[in-house]
Amino acid sequence: MIVELDVSELAVGMYVVEISLPKNKFHLAEQGWIAKQQVIDGFKRKGVEKLLVDTSKRRLAATEVAKSAAPKPPQRSSGFKQQLTQAKQLFEESKAIQARLFDDAKNGVPLSLEPVKSVTEQSISAIFENPDALACVINIRHKDQYLLEHSVAVSVLMTIFACYLKIDKAIVHELAIGAFLHDVGKIMIPPAILDKPGKLTADEFEVMKTHANHSIRIIEATPNITPLSLEVAKLHHEKLNGKGYPYGVRAEHISLYGRMISICDIFDALTANRCYKAGYPQVKAFSILRALGENQELDAELVDHFIKCMGVYPVGSLVQLESNRLAIVESHNRQDPIRPKVKPFYSLNPNHFEVSANIDLAAMRDDLIVKNVRADDFDLNMDEIIEFLSHQG
């Protein structure tokens, strides 16, 4: 599949088709794989901004082949810095693929499943090796890119949840693909409705609801899509009480996987920032999910499992400490869920970034979490926080 990437997103082993920006100023001698970093550096020196890359032809660079042939180190999980880097890279690659899917759907072109299979397989491998590995991706968001980022985030959440429930890896891959595609029909909704700040009118909501039908139609026409991937997309707006859409099916006709994606979809919609609405802190979102479970809209038992899976303080979420610092949650303490492992990064007196040692709050009882917070509460954004943390040891 051909995707357009910024020059900063290129990596050794990618197959470059052509230079797309600036237009008609530079031309490749021939299409081919990027064999070494110097080629990328050359593009940057010349002022090349964007290139078209065939993601189906990526191959390992020599250094990657050497690494894959070497004995694997015994430790199971990578460092938090590496997790952040991996999460950001996968997120950007996923968004590029998602953008192409929306473009193809809008133009009536059948979707190409191969890049979706590839990027979701990478996510699954990372999460099965370390369930916390990509949780940070949920927070690396931009207010003006909700349409692109939501489906990527839901696919990651679905994978994390399925891994927690010990669902077979092959099935998880089909679930992740379905979640990745579940909202592709939104590209058919008029922007005035899709991006409207504030509550939709009854008529506007009826139009918005048709995105589910558009998604189903588009996914059904996708070559090699599996019934399970399609099922996930079909059921993501259905409710156990039969008041969901587009089919209004009741609990007995909603599978485990349909119940799971409803929870993941709503959780991400609640916590994501948008141009016209700040997202809720995760703890507030959990309380809303529980209320929906009590109202027979969601599976209440599964909601409780989801909250345990994500943790009281989800990995990648921000917290304020009693020491008047902000910290990012690095990993859970399963035996002491209210005291996770955190990385302080910002002092509130006075306000400034600071380099601090990691803290296991379960072992350090003189500092506790005061509350869940959002970056916006302190005029920060997750991009600058992630950038700062990725350069720490």
Side-chain angles (χ1 to χ4, degrees):
M1 180 177 182
I2 308 298
V3 300
E4 186 177 56
L5 299 180
D6 289 335
V7 68
S8 61
E9 297 175 294
L10 294 182
V12 174
M14 288 183 174
Y15 190 93
V16 177
V17 177
E18 66 176 276
I19 295 167
S20 57
L21 193 68
K23 288 185 178 295
N24 303 320
K25 184 175 181 181
F26 303 109
H27 298 280
L28 296 176
E30 60 180 355
Q31 299 180 7
W33 285 278
I34 299 175
K36 51 189 177 181
Q37 180 62 38
Q38 287 88 328
V39 175
I40 300 173
D41 294 339
F43 285 140
K44 291 178 180 178
R45 283 195 302 273
K46 290 178 179 178
V48 172
E49 297 175 43
K50 294 180 182 291
L51 304 96
L52 298 183
V53 172
D54 188 340
T55 58
S56 67
K57 293 185 179 181
R58 178 163 184 169
R59 64 184 182 188
L60 292 175
T63 53
E64 293 176 285
V65 172
K67 286 178 184 176
S68 64
K72 300 295 181 185
Q75 64 267 26
R76 182 171 177 269
S77 62
S78 60
F80 189 63
K81 176 181 174 181
Q82 186 176 338
Q83 290 176 27
L84 287 174
T85 302
Q86 180 183 32
K88 194 164 186 177
Q89 288 174 343
L90 264 177
F91 195 45
E92 292 304 319
E93 182 179 350
S94 297
K95 282 166 57 180
I97 292 169
Q98 193 71 244
R100 181 63 67 175
L101 292 174
F102 279 123
D103 190 53
D104 287 345
K106 190 171 186 178
N107 292 308
V109 177
L111 305 187
S112 175
L113 209 55
E114 287 310 308
V116 180
K117 286 182 176 179
S118 175
V119 77
T120 50
E121 189 170 17
Q122 290 178 62
S123 296
I124 290 165
S125 296
I127 290 166
F128 267 75
E129 181 181 344
N130 175 5
D132 294 336
L134 297 185
C136 298
V137 78
I138 309 306
N139 290 302
I140 308 173
R141 310 291 288 273
H142 301 85
K143 292 181 180 180
D144 59 346
Q145 295 184 15
Y146 176 78
L147 183 61
L148 283 180
E149 296 177 342
H150 172 66
S151 292
V152 176
V154 171
S155 183
V156 170
L157 284 169
M158 192 73 169
T159 303
I160 292 171
F161 195 17
C163 178
Y164 173 85
L165 294 175
K166 303 188 185 306
I167 293 173
D168 182 76
K169 196 172 183 179
I171 293 177
V172 176
H173 197 193
E174 293 184 59
L175 301 180
I177 290 169
F180 199 94
L181 299 175
H182 81 281
D183 260 353
V184 68
K186 277 189 175 176
I187 198 65
M188 313 305 288
I189 304 300
I193 294 177
L194 188 63
D195 302 322
K196 180 181 177 180
K199 189 174 181 179
L200 299 177
T201 66
D203 288 342
E204 288 170 338
F205 186 57
E206 288 303 312
V207 174
M208 175 64 83
K209 284 169 31 177
T210 64
H211 84 270
N213 305 81
H214 291 305
S215 292
I216 293 165
R217 173 181 55 79
I218 293 166
I219 297 169
E220 283 179 332
T222 301
N224 302 315
I225 195 72
T226 68
L228 186 52
S229 294
L230 178 60
E231 174 189 317
V232 166
K234 279 185 173 182
L235 294 173
H236 79 276
H237 276 305
E238 300 293 349
K239 299 177 181 179
L240 301 191
N241 59 14
K243 296 181 179 179
Y245 63 90
Y247 303 115
V249 298
R250 298 188 66 86
E252 60 269 24
H253 299 296
I254 302 177
S255 66
L256 167 67
Y257 310 127
R259 297 171 187 223
M260 288 170 62
I261 194 171
S262 294
I263 294 169
C264 296
D265 181 60
I266 294 172
F267 177 76
D268 186 71
L270 289 170
T271 55
N273 276 337
R274 307 188 206 183
C275 291
Y276 53 85
K277 180 186 82 71
Y280 291 118
Q282 285 88 345
V283 173
K284 172 69 173 176
F286 289 153
S287 70
I288 294 173
L289 290 178
R290 277 212 164 104
L292 293 173
E294 292 170 3
N295 197 40
Q296 298 298 305
E297 295 184 40
L298 298 177
D299 185 316
E301 184 178 353
L302 264 184
V303 166
D304 285 341
H305 280 301
F306 179 76
I307 293 171
K308 289 175 184 175
C309 164
M310 297 302 293
V312 178
Y313 300 107
V315 172
S317 65
L318 303 186
V319 293
Q320 184 174 340
L321 304 177
E322 283 186 341
S323 57
N324 215 24
R325 294 181 293 172
L326 302 183
I328 190 167
V329 178
E330 288 195 342
S331 62
H332 300 133
N333 278 315
R334 297 294 180 188
Q335 304 306 314
D336 196 350
I338 66 169
R339 293 183 173 88
K341 296 174 184 176
V342 302
K343 171 78 171 179
F345 64 88
Y346 195 79
S347 171
L348 296 175
N349 189 23
N351 291 352
H352 66 278
F353 282 96
E354 65 175 20
V355 178
S356 301
N358 299 21
I359 299 174
D360 183 346
L361 293 175
M364 182 180 177
R365 297 288 174 152
D366 58 348
D367 204 356
L368 295 172
I369 292 174
V370 175
K371 60 182 177 180
N372 245 150
V373 296
R374 299 190 64 88
D376 290 357
D377 299 338
F378 303 92
D379 293 324
L380 299 172
N381 66 68
M382 285 305 297
D383 272 335
E384 62 183 327
I385 293 170
I386 297 299
E387 183 68 21
F388 176 80
L389 291 170
S390 67
H391 288 90
Q392 304 307 304

